[in-house]
Amino acid sequence: MAAPFLPLSKAEMNELGWDACDFVLVTGDAYVDHPSFGAAIIGRVLESRGYRVGILSQPDWRDARSFKALGRPRLAWLVTAGNLDSMVNHYTAAKKRRSEDSYSPGGRAGLRPDRASLVYAHRCRQAFKEPPIILGGIEASLRRFAHYDYWDDKVRRSVLVDAKADVLVFGMGEEPITALAEELNRRRAGEAFAHPLGAATPGVCYIAADLADIPETNPIVLPSFDEVVADKCAYAKAFQLQEREQNPVDGKTLVQPHGEQFLVQNRPGRPLTTKEMDALYDLPFARQPHPAYEGMGGVPALEEVEFSLTAQRGCFGGCSFCALTFHQGRIIQGRSHDSLVREARRLIRSPRFKGYIHDVGGPTANFRRPACRKQGKAGACRDRQCLHPKPCPNLDVDHGDLIDLLRKLRALEGVKKVFIRSGLRFDYLMADKPARRREFLKELCEHHVSGQLKVAPEHASPKVLRQMGKPGIDVYEAFKKEYEQANKEVGREQYLVPYLVSSHPGADIHEAIELAERLRDWGCHPEQVQDFIPTPGSLSTCIYYTGIDPRTMEPVYVPRSPKEKARQRALLQFRRSENYPLVYQALRAAGRMDLVGHGPNALIRPPRPGMGGGDAAGSARKGRQETPAKKGPRGAGKGTGKAAGKGAGKGSGRKGRSF
């Protein structure tokens, strides 16, 4: 019988009658036994296979003795930085230290180290030398090759090499970790293996001392660590090869030399079936923080997901700044309606449930099935995106399944409202048949929006949108028009909240001004904007570092100076008085003083003598406020962590992130 929680201490192990753990899972997050937390998923998966798993949550990394708290693991250490890359968790785009950590008790910062995967692995080795160390989680997954690190401003080795660990599980790790556990048991029983641990397991990276140690006879050898450090063209070529082979059906083994060692990546693990996804979410999660955290103020990240449903994982959207496809993959893995209804009924039984399901979705709310039939047999296309620059003719667009699912959920006794907050891909919606699109929008506006709907046009310049892998702004404007019409038909006054990114590769000051003009015409007042953060694993980060688009090997302009970044950001919020000096400087430098004046097209008024900080109230057009005065139920209108971790896995705090 499953324990209410996996043990955090020797005392809890004793209560379960354990003398040792098979696996000790070290995590940089507080232990929340909920399927949105990677440590909980991996722990429960291994438990369901009969293994004993203990949790070392946020151990004191300064002292190796804290890593002995659960004793020596019988099979292996499992190490994860947590649901976010630790550097994204700790630092803003301006490299300033964040004051809160939503994955820690009470939101307290400072409970995990920088580069947590490395530090934890070294401490595990100091505590007990013998057990293998297996890295996992988004930090390890996206840093598995030689990668550019924004905070060091240099190319770093694979995290597996620097951590001196044995194996790295990349992507969603349920299948690989189960296979590794079986192999570890067989090795412990004395079975001989000709290759390193994990060499035959999809979804795994390992270190080989010699090419002869690799089972694959014809691997693709990438430019070496030394080559990508010395030559940005070599870095871009290496990235493009990595991206092309992230195919679970026929992806090739990749090898990247690191000095005298060879980093080996097997092809990605296969997507889970619907039956397997259902079984995963039927595991006996307590859905709460461990009782050890009582009185500490809760774990803020749970508030976003406690009464939400993860309906699917994976994304074929192809946004350049998002590393999600490098982690979860491009093939959608969805749960059945029955599974989601069962979970909804469990939510309803909670004494904390107030009648509101805060979200139904995943990385993208309206991707409920693979992009096309071909993906089931051949995987995602190597050199073609599903939605960019135009929707693929083979794209299977259908919102009928999502409509049926939402109707079932909102019909449940005890449910007052079901909201959609995880990103709605509006270009996919606009590719649907007009009648089905109107039906979906009408139901969405009538039943599933809490006053505002967050969508992600990201920018308005065609030049920048091409680099982002996003549709033309005309698609967003067509969606905006239909959304507003749908709200009129159902008698609602509801708003669109656009996510916008400043200083993305390809954007110079003229593109930033183009976006500001579009915001003026929309009458939009962005409350929050996001500076582009170059996080490992994304195409945009490769372009940021190299100044080269690896798909074409053509040069791309990259805004780098703090002054230009500040001006671009200020232009997105040109109405704010504190931004007046920066906006004025940007317009003057760009030769766009036609936008300073009193006319209908002006962004700001001319400066007045002695006006000090300036006056941004002179916007010629007074558009409606982006955020409505009326708010939905608590939590229903909140974001999903996107601002904290843009590009780290499509909103790093989102549901469905696994080990």
Short mmCIF file of all heavy atoms in Angstrom, two decimals, residues 320-321 388 426 456-474 476 504-507 511 514 518 551:
data_model
loop_
_atom_site.label_atom_id
_atom_site.label_comp_id
_atom_site.label_asym_id
_atom_site.label_seq_id
_atom_site.Cartn_x
_atom_site.Cartn_y
_atom_site.Cartn_z
N SER A 320 10.53 29.81 -31.03
CA SER A 320 11.99 29.76 -30.99
C SER A 320 12.56 29.98 -29.60
O SER A 320 13.61 29.44 -29.25
CB SER A 320 12.58 30.80 -31.95
OG SER A 320 12.11 30.62 -33.25
N PHE A 321 11.89 30.81 -28.80
CA PHE A 321 12.41 31.17 -27.48
C PHE A 321 12.07 30.13 -26.42
O PHE A 321 12.45 30.27 -25.27
CB PHE A 321 11.86 32.53 -27.04
CG PHE A 321 10.37 32.65 -27.21
CD1 PHE A 321 9.50 32.06 -26.32
CD2 PHE A 321 9.85 33.36 -28.28
CE1 PHE A 321 8.13 32.15 -26.48
CE2 PHE A 321 8.48 33.46 -28.46
CZ PHE A 321 7.62 32.85 -27.56
N HIS A 388 4.44 27.19 -38.41
CA HIS A 388 5.20 28.34 -38.91
C HIS A 388 6.02 27.95 -40.13
O HIS A 388 6.60 26.87 -40.15
CB HIS A 388 6.13 28.86 -37.80
CG HIS A 388 6.83 30.14 -38.17
ND1 HIS A 388 8.09 30.17 -38.70
CD2 HIS A 388 6.42 31.42 -38.09
CE1 HIS A 388 8.44 31.42 -38.92
NE2 HIS A 388 7.45 32.19 -38.55
N PHE A 426 -3.61 30.81 -30.52
CA PHE A 426 -4.66 31.42 -31.33
C PHE A 426 -4.49 31.13 -32.81
O PHE A 426 -5.47 31.08 -33.56
CB PHE A 426 -4.74 32.93 -31.07
CG PHE A 426 -3.50 33.69 -31.41
CD1 PHE A 426 -3.22 34.10 -32.69
CD2 PHE A 426 -2.58 34.02 -30.41
CE1 PHE A 426 -2.07 34.81 -33.00
CE2 PHE A 426 -1.44 34.72 -30.70
CZ PHE A 426 -1.17 35.12 -32.00
N ALA A 456 -0.50 34.96 -26.51
CA ALA A 456 0.90 35.33 -26.68
C ALA A 456 1.24 35.71 -28.12
O ALA A 456 1.86 34.92 -28.84
CB ALA A 456 1.80 34.18 -26.21
N PRO A 457 0.88 36.93 -28.55
CA PRO A 457 1.38 37.38 -29.86
C PRO A 457 2.89 37.62 -29.81
O PRO A 457 3.57 37.53 -30.82
CB PRO A 457 0.61 38.67 -30.11
CG PRO A 457 0.23 39.15 -28.75
CD PRO A 457 0.00 37.92 -27.92
N GLU A 458 3.42 38.00 -28.65
CA GLU A 458 4.84 38.20 -28.34
C GLU A 458 5.44 39.46 -28.94
O GLU A 458 6.24 40.13 -28.32
CB GLU A 458 5.68 36.99 -28.75
CG GLU A 458 5.17 35.65 -28.25
CD GLU A 458 5.29 35.46 -26.74
OE1 GLU A 458 5.69 36.39 -26.03
OE2 GLU A 458 4.95 34.35 -26.28
N HIS A 459 5.08 39.78 -30.20
CA HIS A 459 5.62 40.97 -30.85
C HIS A 459 4.68 41.35 -31.98
O HIS A 459 3.63 40.72 -32.17
CB HIS A 459 7.03 40.71 -31.37
CG HIS A 459 7.94 41.91 -31.32
ND1 HIS A 459 7.93 42.90 -32.29
CD2 HIS A 459 8.87 42.29 -30.40
CE1 HIS A 459 8.83 43.83 -31.97
NE2 HIS A 459 9.41 43.48 -30.82
N ALA A 460 5.03 42.39 -32.73
CA ALA A 460 4.20 42.79 -33.86
C ALA A 460 5.00 42.90 -35.15
O ALA A 460 4.43 42.87 -36.23
CB ALA A 460 3.53 44.14 -33.56
N SER A 461 6.32 43.03 -35.04
CA SER A 461 7.16 43.19 -36.23
C SER A 461 7.27 41.87 -36.99
O SER A 461 7.63 40.85 -36.40
CB SER A 461 8.56 43.67 -35.83
OG SER A 461 9.49 43.45 -36.86
N PRO A 462 6.99 41.86 -38.31
CA PRO A 462 7.15 40.63 -39.08
C PRO A 462 8.57 40.05 -38.98
O PRO A 462 8.74 38.84 -38.90
CB PRO A 462 6.82 41.06 -40.52
CG PRO A 462 5.96 42.26 -40.36
CD PRO A 462 6.46 42.96 -39.13
N LYS A 463 9.54 40.93 -38.95
CA LYS A 463 10.94 40.50 -38.87
C LYS A 463 11.20 39.73 -37.58
O LYS A 463 11.83 38.66 -37.58
CB LYS A 463 11.85 41.72 -38.97
CG LYS A 463 13.33 41.45 -38.81
CD LYS A 463 14.09 42.76 -38.90
CE LYS A 463 15.55 42.59 -38.53
NZ LYS A 463 16.26 43.91 -38.53
N VAL A 464 10.70 40.26 -36.46
CA VAL A 464 10.92 39.61 -35.17
C VAL A 464 10.08 38.35 -35.05
O VAL A 464 10.55 37.32 -34.54
CB VAL A 464 10.61 40.59 -34.02
CG1 VAL A 464 10.85 39.93 -32.68
CG2 VAL A 464 11.45 41.85 -34.15
N LEU A 465 8.84 38.41 -35.52
CA LEU A 465 7.97 37.25 -35.43
C LEU A 465 8.52 36.06 -36.21
O LEU A 465 8.37 34.92 -35.79
CB LEU A 465 6.56 37.61 -35.91
CG LEU A 465 5.78 38.56 -34.99
CD1 LEU A 465 4.52 39.05 -35.69
CD2 LEU A 465 5.44 37.88 -33.68
N ARG A 466 9.19 36.34 -37.32
CA ARG A 466 9.82 35.25 -38.07
C ARG A 466 10.91 34.59 -37.23
O ARG A 466 11.05 33.37 -37.22
CB ARG A 466 10.41 35.78 -39.38
CG ARG A 466 9.38 35.97 -40.48
CD ARG A 466 10.04 36.14 -41.84
NE ARG A 466 10.89 37.33 -41.90
CZ ARG A 466 10.45 38.55 -42.23
NH1 ARG A 466 9.17 38.74 -42.53
NH2 ARG A 466 11.27 39.57 -42.27
N GLN A 467 11.70 35.40 -36.53
CA GLN A 467 12.74 34.83 -35.68
C GLN A 467 12.14 34.07 -34.49
O GLN A 467 12.70 33.08 -34.02
CB GLN A 467 13.66 35.94 -35.15
CG GLN A 467 14.55 36.57 -36.19
CD GLN A 467 15.51 35.58 -36.81
OE1 GLN A 467 15.95 34.62 -36.18
NE2 GLN A 467 15.85 35.80 -38.07
N MET A 468 11.00 34.52 -34.03
CA MET A 468 10.34 33.86 -32.90
C MET A 468 9.60 32.58 -33.29
O MET A 468 9.22 31.79 -32.41
CB MET A 468 9.31 34.82 -32.27
CG MET A 468 9.91 35.98 -31.52
SD MET A 468 8.57 37.02 -30.85
CE MET A 468 9.46 37.95 -29.59
N GLY A 469 9.37 32.39 -34.59
CA GLY A 469 8.56 31.26 -35.01
C GLY A 469 7.09 31.47 -34.73
O GLY A 469 6.34 30.50 -34.56
N LYS A 470 6.66 32.72 -34.69
CA LYS A 470 5.27 33.06 -34.39
C LYS A 470 4.56 33.53 -35.66
O LYS A 470 5.18 33.99 -36.61
CB LYS A 470 5.22 34.17 -33.33
CG LYS A 470 5.84 33.79 -32.00
CD LYS A 470 5.02 32.76 -31.26
CE LYS A 470 3.75 33.35 -30.70
NZ LYS A 470 3.02 32.38 -29.85
N PRO A 471 3.21 33.47 -35.68
CA PRO A 471 2.46 33.89 -36.86
C PRO A 471 2.50 35.40 -37.03
O PRO A 471 2.82 36.14 -36.10
CB PRO A 471 1.04 33.41 -36.55
CG PRO A 471 0.96 33.44 -35.06
CD PRO A 471 2.32 33.01 -34.59
N GLY A 472 2.15 35.85 -38.22
CA GLY A 472 2.06 37.28 -38.48
C GLY A 472 1.02 37.94 -37.59
O GLY A 472 0.06 37.30 -37.15
N ILE A 473 1.21 39.22 -37.34
CA ILE A 473 0.33 39.92 -36.41
C ILE A 473 -1.08 40.01 -36.95
O ILE A 473 -2.05 40.19 -36.19
CB ILE A 473 0.88 41.32 -36.08
CG1 ILE A 473 0.29 41.84 -34.78
CG2 ILE A 473 0.66 42.28 -37.23
CD1 ILE A 473 0.62 41.00 -33.56
N ASP A 474 -1.25 39.83 -38.26
CA ASP A 474 -2.60 39.83 -38.83
C ASP A 474 -3.44 38.67 -38.29
O ASP A 474 -4.66 38.78 -38.15
CB ASP A 474 -2.53 39.77 -40.35
CG ASP A 474 -1.79 38.54 -40.86
OD1 ASP A 474 -0.69 38.25 -40.33
OD2 ASP A 474 -2.28 37.87 -41.78
N TYR A 476 -3.17 37.40 -35.23
CA TYR A 476 -3.60 37.81 -33.89
C TYR A 476 -4.75 38.80 -33.97
O TYR A 476 -5.74 38.70 -33.22
CB TYR A 476 -2.44 38.43 -33.11
CG TYR A 476 -2.87 39.06 -31.80
CD1 TYR A 476 -3.22 38.27 -30.72
CD2 TYR A 476 -2.94 40.44 -31.66
CE1 TYR A 476 -3.63 38.82 -29.52
CE2 TYR A 476 -3.35 41.01 -30.46
CZ TYR A 476 -3.69 40.20 -29.40
OH TYR A 476 -4.10 40.76 -28.22
N HIS A 504 14.18 40.60 -28.09
CA HIS A 504 14.40 39.28 -28.68
C HIS A 504 15.36 39.42 -29.87
O HIS A 504 15.38 40.45 -30.53
CB HIS A 504 13.07 38.68 -29.15
CG HIS A 504 13.17 37.27 -29.60
ND1 HIS A 504 13.53 36.91 -30.88
CD2 HIS A 504 12.96 36.10 -28.94
CE1 HIS A 504 13.53 35.59 -31.00
NE2 HIS A 504 13.18 35.08 -29.84
N PRO A 505 16.19 38.41 -30.15
CA PRO A 505 17.02 38.47 -31.35
C PRO A 505 16.20 38.83 -32.59
O PRO A 505 15.11 38.31 -32.82
CB PRO A 505 17.58 37.05 -31.45
CG PRO A 505 17.66 36.59 -30.03
CD PRO A 505 16.44 37.17 -29.36
N GLY A 506 16.76 39.74 -33.37
CA GLY A 506 16.07 40.25 -34.54
C GLY A 506 15.41 41.59 -34.32
O GLY A 506 15.03 42.27 -35.29
N ALA A 507 15.25 42.00 -33.06
CA ALA A 507 14.56 43.25 -32.74
C ALA A 507 15.56 44.36 -32.49
O ALA A 507 16.31 44.30 -31.51
CB ALA A 507 13.67 43.06 -31.52
N GLU A 511 12.09 47.99 -34.61
CA GLU A 511 11.06 46.97 -34.38
C GLU A 511 10.35 47.21 -33.05
O GLU A 511 9.14 46.99 -32.93
CB GLU A 511 11.69 45.57 -34.38
CG GLU A 511 11.90 44.97 -35.74
CD GLU A 511 13.02 45.61 -36.51
OE1 GLU A 511 14.12 45.78 -35.93
OE2 GLU A 511 12.83 45.97 -37.69
N GLU A 514 7.88 49.84 -33.69
CA GLU A 514 6.76 49.28 -34.45
C GLU A 514 5.76 48.60 -33.52
O GLU A 514 4.55 48.72 -33.68
CB GLU A 514 7.29 48.29 -35.49
CG GLU A 514 6.23 47.71 -36.40
CD GLU A 514 6.82 46.80 -37.47
OE1 GLU A 514 8.05 46.72 -37.59
OE2 GLU A 514 6.02 46.16 -38.19
N ARG A 518 1.78 49.62 -32.55
CA ARG A 518 0.67 48.68 -32.60
C ARG A 518 -0.10 48.70 -31.28
O ARG A 518 -1.34 48.66 -31.28
CB ARG A 518 1.20 47.27 -32.86
CG ARG A 518 0.16 46.25 -33.20
CD ARG A 518 -0.42 46.41 -34.59
NE ARG A 518 0.57 46.17 -35.63
CZ ARG A 518 0.27 45.82 -36.88
NH1 ARG A 518 -0.99 45.66 -37.24
NH2 ARG A 518 1.22 45.66 -37.78
N ARG A 551 19.40 27.69 -38.66
CA ARG A 551 18.63 27.06 -39.74
C ARG A 551 19.12 27.52 -41.11
O ARG A 551 19.00 26.78 -42.08
CB ARG A 551 17.15 27.38 -39.57
CG ARG A 551 16.55 26.87 -38.28
CD ARG A 551 15.22 27.52 -37.98
NE ARG A 551 15.35 28.96 -37.74
CZ ARG A 551 14.36 29.75 -37.31
NH1 ARG A 551 13.16 29.20 -37.07
NH2 ARG A 551 14.55 31.04 -37.14
#
